[in-house]
Amino acid sequence: MQLSKEVFQQQLKVMQDRVLRKTKIPFVSFNEGLPFEWEGYKEGLRQRGLKRLQVHTWQKSSVGSGAILKRLIYAIEIPKGVEGDANGFVSWANEHGHASRSHRELLDAQEEPALTKRAESWAFEFYRENGDPEDAFEELLEIAGPRYDLVAYLFFLRDSQRFMPIRVQTFDKAFRDLQLSLKTEGHCTWANYQQYIEALKSVQAELQTMPNLSDAGLVDAHSFCWLLVRPELDGDDDRLIASAKGKASNSKKYDGRQVAVFDMANMTMETVRQANGQIVETTRKVKELWMSKTGLQTYIEALLEKQEDKCALTGITFHYVGKGDDKQRRPSLDRKDSDKHYEVGNLQVVCKFINKWKSNARDEEFLRLIGLVRKPPGEI
C-alpha cells in the first residue's frame, strides 16, 4: 500500500503542531514527552497480558479442562492498577451489557465443554505451537465472532513485530487523513488485517526517514496514527508540563507535592532510558521500570502518603517546590536495593541529599553509617 511522501509530510506537520499546541514542547520522538506518556504503554500492556497468559505452563493434556480458556480471558480482562492502565485495546468491561463485550463468546464458551475445548485447542495451537496466522485468524472468527479489536489484540500478544491492535474508527479516520484507501470497520478478515498492517508499515517506512526516528518500529507507526486523530489533542493542555518550570499560561495549578511526583516519575523514566533499560515487566536488564508512568505516579503518591511526607531513611520532613524551600530536602525516588529494579516493594522516597549520599549502598549499610555519624564523639 503506497503512502504519498507529500501527504505524509503534511500529516506529520499536523501531528507535530497538535503536540506542540497541547504541550508547548516540540515533538522529538515517540520515546519522550507527551507521545511517550500517552502511547508508550503498549508493550508494557502486552507484557502484562503475556504474564497473565502463562503460555509456557500450558500442557496439551489441559486442552478441554477450562484452564487455558480462563487464562485467555484473564489476559484480556486487565484492569487499571499499580502496574498500569486497563486494557483499552479490547472492549471487555461489562459497562453496556454483556452483548457489547468483545470477548462475550469466549465467556459463554466456559459453560459449554465442546466450545471450551475448541477455544482451548485454538489457543494452544496458536500460542504454544505457533500455528499458521491466517488459519488461526479464520478459526478465531468462527469461535469469537468478527470482533476486530479482540482478534487483533490476541494476535498482538503473539508477536508485536508483525501484528498490532486496532480500533477501527480511529484508524479509518487516520487512513483517510493519510489518503490511504483502506476501510477496516465492518471488514474483519485476514486480507483486511494484512492490508491494515501494510498501511502501518508504509507509515513506519516514512517515519524512519525522519531525524531521530530511524529506528521507528511498527508500534511507532501505530502511535503516529493515534496522535494524528486523538480528540484530546484538539484543545489546549490542562496540566503542568514536565516540572515546576513549566509556564504554559493555560496550565492547571498543581501543589508542590504533585509537582514533585511528576518530577520523580520523569526523572525515573529518563534514568531507565539512559541505562539502556526498557519499560517492561518480564525481561531483565540493567535498570528497568516494571510499571507504566501512570502507575509509577500513583505509587509515588501512595509512598508519600504512607511516609507522611518524610524521608524514609531519616524521618526528615520533605520540602516541596516553593519560596524558601531547601532543595536538598526535596523528595527523591530511591531503590532500596540497587541490584533490583524500579518495582513495587523496592522503592522509597528520601531526601535529595540522602539519595546522593546513599548512592548504590543498601539501606542496612547506609543506616549503619548514618548511625555512626549521629553518635557523639568518643562513642565510636
Side-chain angles (χ1 to χ4, degrees), residues 194-210:
Q194 288 303 288
Q195 290 178 327
Y196 165 69
I197 297 299
E198 288 303 314
L200 291 180
K201 286 181 178 178
S202 68
V203 174
Q204 177 188 5
E206 291 299 327
L207 287 173
Q208 290 175 342
T209 67
M210 306 305 298

Side-chain angles (χ1 to χ4, degrees), residues 151-162:
V151 175
Y153 170 69
L154 293 179
F155 271 66
F156 175 60
L157 286 183
R158 170 161 154 176
D159 189 343
S160 60
Q161 301 302 310
R162 297 174 59 192

Side-chain angles (χ1 to χ4, degrees), residues 49-72:
L50 291 174
K51 187 176 180 180
R52 286 168 164 246
L53 207 55
Q54 293 285 300
V55 173
H56 66 281
T57 67
W58 295 1
Q59 300 295 325
K60 188 75 172 179
S61 58
S62 296
V63 172
S65 68
I68 293 176
L69 182 54
K70 285 182 180 179
R71 280 287 174 186
L72 195 63

Side-chain angles (χ1 to χ4, degrees), residues 72-74 76-77 90-94 98 100-109 144 147 149-150:
L72 195 63
I73 293 171
Y74 187 50
I76 295 167
E77 297 181 348
V90 182
S91 298
W92 60 268
N94 193 15
H98 183 66
S100 68
R101 306 173 82 178
S102 292
H103 67 321
R104 66 180 184 276
E105 296 293 344
L106 298 180
L107 293 170
D108 294 344
R147 300 304 295 251
D149 58 336
L150 172 67

Side-chain angles (χ1 to χ4, degrees), residues 112-258:
E112 297 288 340
L115 296 179
T116 294
K117 185 173 183 178
R118 185 181 185 188
E120 294 191 334
S121 295
W122 174 87
F124 191 89
E125 182 177 351
F126 184 59
Y127 291 112
R128 193 81 164 121
E129 298 179 340
N130 294 316
D132 178 71
E134 182 175 0
D135 292 343
F137 195 100
E138 298 301 333
E139 185 175 1
L140 184 56
L141 291 184
E142 294 179 9
I143 294 171
R147 300 304 295 251
Y148 221 149
D149 58 336
L150 172 67
V151 175
Y153 170 69
L154 293 179
F155 271 66
F156 175 60
L157 286 183
R158 170 161 154 176
D159 189 343
S160 60
Q161 301 302 310
R162 297 174 59 192
F163 307 119
M164 281 287 121
I166 190 172
R167 284 291 187 177
V168 291
Q169 293 181 346
T170 296
F171 282 91
D172 283 356
K173 186 177 188 305
F175 293 152
R176 285 196 299 271
D177 290 348
L178 291 166
Q179 297 183 24
L180 293 173
S181 56
L182 174 62
K183 181 177 175 59
T184 61
E185 186 173 15
H187 295 82
C188 184
T189 66
W190 173 250
N192 187 265
Y193 188 54
Q194 288 303 288
Q195 290 178 327
Y196 165 69
I197 297 299
E198 288 303 314
L200 291 180
K201 286 181 178 178
S202 68
V203 174
Q204 177 188 5
E206 291 299 327
L207 287 173
Q208 290 175 342
T209 67
M210 306 305 298
N212 302 318
L213 298 176
S214 60
D215 60 347
L218 196 62
V219 70
D220 296 318
H222 189 276
S223 296
F224 171 82
C225 291
W226 265 104
L227 291 171
L228 192 59
V229 299
R230 278 188 74 146
E232 299 95 325
L233 286 176
D234 291 339
D236 291 331
D237 200 4
D238 64 351
R239 65 184 179 86
L240 186 64
I241 302 301
S243 72
K245 295 181 180 179
K247 296 181 180 179
S249 61
N250 63 331
S251 62
K252 179 179 178 180
K253 300 300 182 182
Y254 285 88
D255 62 29
R257 184 203 261 194
Q258 291 171 313

Side-chain angles (χ1 to χ4, degrees), residues 307-319 328-332 334 348-358 363 366-371 373-374:
Q307 295 175 204
E308 299 181 340
D309 297 303
K310 295 179 180 179
C311 174
L313 293 176
T314 65
I316 296 173
T317 301
F318 292 130
H319 276 194
Q328 293 301 323
R329 289 175 61 177
R330 288 181 183 176
S332 176
D334 172 58
Q348 60 190 355
V349 186
V350 300
C351 288
K352 181 179 179 181
F353 77 97
I354 291 295
N355 206 348
K356 183 177 180 181
W357 288 1
K358 182 190 173 199
D363 281 4
F366 180 74
L367 289 173
R368 184 184 73 82
L369 296 175
I370 284 291
V373 173
R374 285 175 168 172

